[in-house]
């Protein structure tokens, strides 16, 4: 499974309640460390994301995309960690591909 898929799967596990949050953090930390991040950096990034995703929202994947695009605490947590930045880029690519597949072929052509 690619790092983008691993992060997507971790977000599928997310819920703000303690056991689900911990499972999400563990899964995301593993995905990031497997991609080259240090354990400490990966845990910090997972915690920042879990805190931000704990705000009420209807779609955790859209919220994650927003965090990656512009969430200063996440930018600070990822600072200097090129492996984490690369992993988030791969997640965004995977997520956008999934969204394009869900909208059908006509919408795909409109995007291109």
């Amino acid at each position: 499974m690619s790092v983008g898929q691993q992060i997507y799967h971790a977000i599928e596990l997310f819920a703000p309640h303690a056991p689900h949050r911990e499972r999400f953090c563990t899964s995301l930390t593993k995905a990031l460390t497997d991609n080259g991040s240090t354990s400490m950096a990966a845990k910090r990034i997972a915690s920042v994301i879990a805190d931000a995703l704990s705000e009420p929202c209807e779609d955790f994947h859209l919220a994650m995309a927003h965090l990656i695009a512009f969430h200063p605490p996440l930018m600070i947590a990822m600072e200097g960690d090129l492996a984490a930045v690369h992993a988030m880029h791969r997640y965004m690519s995977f997520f956008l591909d999934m969204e394009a597949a869900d909208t059908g072929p006509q919408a795909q052509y409109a995007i291109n």
Side-chain angles (χ1 to χ4, degrees):
M1 191 176 336
S2 75
V3 68
Q5 290 171 310
Q6 291 172 8
I7 294 171
Y8 189 92
H9 178 69
I11 294 166
E12 289 289 307
L13 299 174
F14 184 79
H17 309 296
H20 301 289
R21 178 190 166 106
E22 291 168 17
R23 190 171 60 191
F24 163 78
C25 286
T26 299
S27 182
L28 183 58
T29 298
K30 182 177 178 352
L32 293 174
T33 56
D34 288 353
N35 195 56
S37 292
T38 66
S39 179
M40 183 190 311
K43 286 178 183 177
R44 184 176 59 246
I45 291 166
S47 178
V48 166
I49 291 171
D51 288 345
L53 288 179
S54 292
E55 298 295 320
C57 70
E58 292 185 26
D59 186 330
F60 290 124
H61 290 292
L62 286 176
M64 180 67 171
H66 176 74
L67 294 176
I68 293 169
F70 183 76
H71 185 63
L74 180 57
M75 299 303 131
I76 292 167
M78 291 192 314
E79 189 172 334
D81 188 343
L82 294 178
V85 171
H86 174 73
M88 295 303 155
H89 172 78
R90 299 304 302 158
Y91 164 75
M92 288 292 282
S93 295
F94 183 79
F95 170 65
L96 292 173
D97 285 347
M98 292 291 290
E99 286 296 300
D102 286 344
T103 60
Q106 291 178 348
Q108 286 178 334
Y109 293 120
I111 293 170
N112 293 330

